[in-house]
Amino acid sequence: MNKIDEKNEDYQIKNVNNTFTEKESWGDRVADAVARFGGSWSFIISFCIVLFIWMALNVVHLFGVRFDPYPFILLNLFLSCVAALQAPIIMMSQNRQAARDHLDAENDYHTNIVAERRLKRVEKKLEQQSRKIDNLLELLEKQATHNPQNKEWET
């Protein structure tokens, strides 16, 4: 058995979620929350509502408010800033998810190797038992043919 086999033989299955939750920092939780909200219909709908209200206030001059006149330069600046900040935060969350997926895959790999070894052992034992049963049946058939007075064995 080589080193990899020995490592897999003693491998303890891990709950990757617990491992990741224990190491999570405040920034990690914020990045995950931003990614979760930023990729939702709630975000898209609320963002469209905010954009519509912003433009309506500045076009119609509702309540005498006009802080960003028509080409909406301030709005463009705001949208650029949101995109510039949101993209790296979402990428941080994706990197964490990739690391979690890597741990999941490694855990699955080791678990599969251990399960495969155990199945091979069970298969080997079943083959041995099958051979022993075949030998026993052979012996019983021989005994039945050598002892014609015993009618129970005949079918």
Side-chain angles (χ1 to χ4, degrees):
M1 209 181 317
N2 60 26
K3 295 261 186 212
I4 294 174
D5 292 340
E6 290 172 8
K7 179 182 175 187
N8 289 322
E9 200 63 37
D10 298 331
Y11 186 76
Q12 296 294 317
I13 297 171
K14 300 172 189 166
N15 184 346
V16 176
N17 293 324
N18 290 344
T19 305
F20 250 78
T21 305
E22 291 168 1
K23 295 179 181 179
E24 226 173 37
S25 70
W26 179 82
D28 293 336
R29 287 191 298 276
V30 169
D32 289 343
V34 168
R36 204 172 16 260
F37 179 68
S40 69
W41 280 107
S42 299
F43 171 75
I44 293 171
I45 292 168
S46 61
F47 205 69
C48 287
I49 290 170
V50 168
L51 290 177
F52 179 75
I53 291 171
W54 182 295
M55 289 186 276
L57 282 174
N58 286 287
V59 170
V60 179
H61 308 286
L62 194 62
F63 309 116
V65 175
R66 186 175 184 196
F67 53 88
D68 189 20
Y70 171 65
F72 307 120
I73 294 171
L74 187 59
L75 178 63
N76 283 327
L77 179 64
F78 175 70
L79 292 174
S80 297
C81 288
V82 168
L85 292 174
Q86 191 179 24
I89 291 172
I90 290 172
M91 288 176 65
M92 286 189 290
S93 179
Q94 288 175 338
N95 288 341
R96 284 178 24 78
Q97 186 60 45
R100 176 180 291 199
D101 291 344
H102 177 74
L103 283 177
D104 268 338
E106 186 177 339
N107 197 35
D108 289 347
Y109 170 75
H110 291 293
T111 303
N112 289 342
I113 288 176
V114 170
E116 182 180 7
R117 283 213 181 87
R118 289 179 182 169
L119 283 172
K120 284 182 180 180
R121 281 189 223 129
V122 168
E123 184 180 25
K124 189 176 179 181
K125 286 186 184 224
L126 284 173
E127 286 174 7
Q128 290 171 351
Q129 289 176 350
S130 180
R131 279 195 299 272
K132 287 179 181 179
I133 289 171
D134 288 343
N135 290 341
L136 284 173
L137 286 174
E138 239 178 76
L139 287 172
L140 287 172
E141 286 174 7
K142 284 180 186 176
Q143 187 179 17
T145 56
H146 288 305
N147 189 0
Q149 295 170 346
N150 192 353
K151 303 262 182 192
E152 288 180 29
W153 296 104
E154 294 178 13
T155 54

